[in-house]
Every structure is written in C-alpha cells, then in structure tokens.
Amino acid sequence: MVGVSGGIGSGKTTVTDMFAEYGIDVIDADVIARQVVEPGSLALNAIVEKFGPSIIQDDGHLNRQTLRATVFSDAALKTWLNNLLHPLIRVQMQEQTLAAGSSYCLLSVPLLVENNLTTLVNRVLIVDVSEVTQIERSVLRDKSNAEQIRAIMRAQASRAERLACADDVVNNEGSVRELRPQVEKLHAMYLRLSQGST
Ligand code: ADP
C-alpha cells in the first residue's frame, strides 16, 4: 500500500485520479472523513449533542466550516472531536484497504506525516509544489483568500518535513500534462514491487 500526501492544493486528488485510471483503488481519508459524519451516523448525533443543532445545515449535513472554526481556537473541543472521529476514520480506512482488489492501492491522507500514519503504509508518495503555487491553486479552487490558505498551511507540516518522509516524489509545479509520465513510471514500479509483497 502506498500512502499519498501533500499539502493543501498540492495536487493529491489530481494525481490519485490518474492512478485510478489504471484501475488502482484509491482510499481517500478526506472522503471517509465526510462519510463518518453523514446524516443519521452515530458520530453526527454525538456532535449535535455536544455543539447543539446549529452545527447542522438546512440540508441535514454537518456544517464542517462552522465546526472547524469552533474547534480551531479550543484545544479541548478539538481533542474531543479528534477522539471521536479518528478511530472511526481509521477503521473505515482499514476496511476499505482490506476490500481493495487492485495489485496495490493508494491511501490518500492529507495529514499522513502530521498524524504519524506513515507506518500504516509500505511507501510514502509526496506530491510536491512550491508554497506560492500551493496558495495560488488553493485560492482558485476554494474561492478563499491567501490568508485563509496560509493559516491552514501553518497547521500542516512544512514542505521540507513532508519531503523528509518521502520514498517517492511527484513534482506538480508544472502542467497537469507533466504529471502523466511521472505517474506512469511510479505505477510501473509499484506493480513490480507489489509482485514481491502487498
Ligand atoms: P489537493 O487534493 O492536494 O488539495 P487538488 O488535486 O485538488 O489538490 O489540486 C488543487 C487545485 O489545483 C485543483 O483545482 C486542481 O485542478 C488544480 N491543479 C492541480 N494540479 C495542477 C497543475 N499541474 N496545474 C494547474 N492546476 C492544477
């Protein structure tokens, strides 16, 4: 199993989508984090009990932005929330990994390095871009401002810290087209490696 990580806006999704085109199963921690708080889930009920019904949007889904803002400045609440969600997310990641049928699979985790999850995987692939590019692309995608993105980046590992954990690096400073040969080469290597182990 290959762990994929990178800072906000580095291009993790763009890269894992390319691997998926080769039939590789991608387990995405961001997707799972949304699934565990779906309407009707035990986790969402617990969150409503703790934060009140105003944490729910009109459509019944969790207002993640309000929740993020609420726990941002309160360490105790943040710990409470992490203790609730992290075990659920981890179990789901393990279940989906076991269910994966491709020769190898990718585990895409934004905070792989920060949460010391590198031991869960056989290799670590980092999608790398400069901080300037990270901000530019995130602002465009999220329609947010540079200061908001910088605040998120400050809470994440630095570019150097991430690269220090990497077995493999995809450089995404150039165009999306330039990703293809890098992904192709890694896919061939991972297939070779997966023939020896899983
Ligand atoms: P992450 O999943 O790491 O947050 P995304 O894959 O969503 O990053 O990429 C962030 C944004 O940048 C997206 O809008 C994506 O379409 C865009 N993007 C990704 N790679 C490139 C690239 N090489 N050139 C231009 N835009 C890119």
Side-chain angles (χ1 to χ4, degrees), residues 6-15 137-138 141 172 174-176 179:
I8 180 170
S10 57
K12 292 179 293 296
T13 312
T14 309
V15 167
R137 290 184 187 158
S138 302
R141 182 194 57 186
N172 190 23
S175 68
V176 172
L179 290 174

Side-chain angles (χ1 to χ4, degrees), residues 5-17 28 30 108 127 129 133-134 136-138 140-142 171-179:
S5 198
I8 180 170
S10 57
K12 292 179 293 296
T13 312
T14 309
V15 167
T16 54
D17 281 352
D28 187 326
D30 263 353
S108 179
V127 182
V129 289
T133 303
Q134 232 184 317
E136 254 174 36
R137 290 184 187 158
S138 302
L140 261 179
R141 182 194 57 186
D142 302 342
N171 181 322
N172 190 23
E173 197 59 31
S175 68
V176 172
R177 209 162 44 84
E178 289 166 65
L179 290 174

Side-chain angles (χ1 to χ4, degrees), residues 71-72 74-83 155:
V71 301
F72 192 74
D74 189 323
L77 279 182
K78 192 169 180 185
T79 304
W80 179 89
L81 189 66
N82 285 344
N83 287 343

Side-chain angles (χ1 to χ4, degrees), residues 96-171:
Q96 292 190 17
T97 304
L98 287 173
S102 51
S103 307
Y104 66 92
C105 65
L106 300 181
L107 185 64
S108 179
V109 187
L111 301 180
L112 188 78
V113 172
E114 294 82 343
N115 290 345
N116 284 319
L117 296 175
T118 50
T119 51
L120 287 181
V121 295
N122 304 99
R123 287 183 86 81
V124 174
L125 166 60
I126 296 294
V127 182
D128 183 52
V129 289
S130 67
E131 277 107 0
V132 173
T133 303
Q134 232 184 317
I135 294 170
E136 254 174 36
R137 290 184 187 158
S138 302
V139 165
L140 261 179
R141 182 194 57 186
D142 302 342
K143 297 171 191 63
S144 51
N145 62 53
E147 201 33 61
Q148 282 170 313
I149 302 299
R150 273 195 210 97
I152 293 171
M153 284 168 64
R154 277 196 292 275
Q156 297 186 339
S158 69
R159 187 180 181 189
E161 282 166 342
R162 260 193 302 271
L163 286 174
C165 296
D167 296 297
D168 309 306
V169 177
V170 164
N171 181 322

Side-chain angles (χ1 to χ4, degrees), residues 33-98:
R34 283 192 289 273
Q35 285 168 347
V36 298
V37 293
E38 266 170 8
S41 62
L42 290 174
L44 185 58
N45 293 345
I47 290 169
V48 173
E49 229 168 82
K50 185 92 175 170
F51 296 88
S54 61
I55 207 77
I56 303 284
Q57 298 170 172
D58 291 343
D59 64 2
H61 284 87
L62 177 64
N63 190 330
R64 298 166 64 82
Q65 214 168 351
T66 305
L67 183 65
R68 216 177 293 129
T70 310
V71 301
F72 192 74
S73 51
D74 189 323
L77 279 182
K78 192 169 180 185
T79 304
W80 179 89
L81 189 66
N82 285 344
N83 287 343
L84 173 73
L85 297 182
H86 285 181
L88 294 172
I89 293 170
R90 198 183 264 255
V91 165
Q92 268 303 314
M93 286 197 319
Q94 276 161 350
E95 275 183 14
Q96 292 190 17
T97 304
L98 287 173

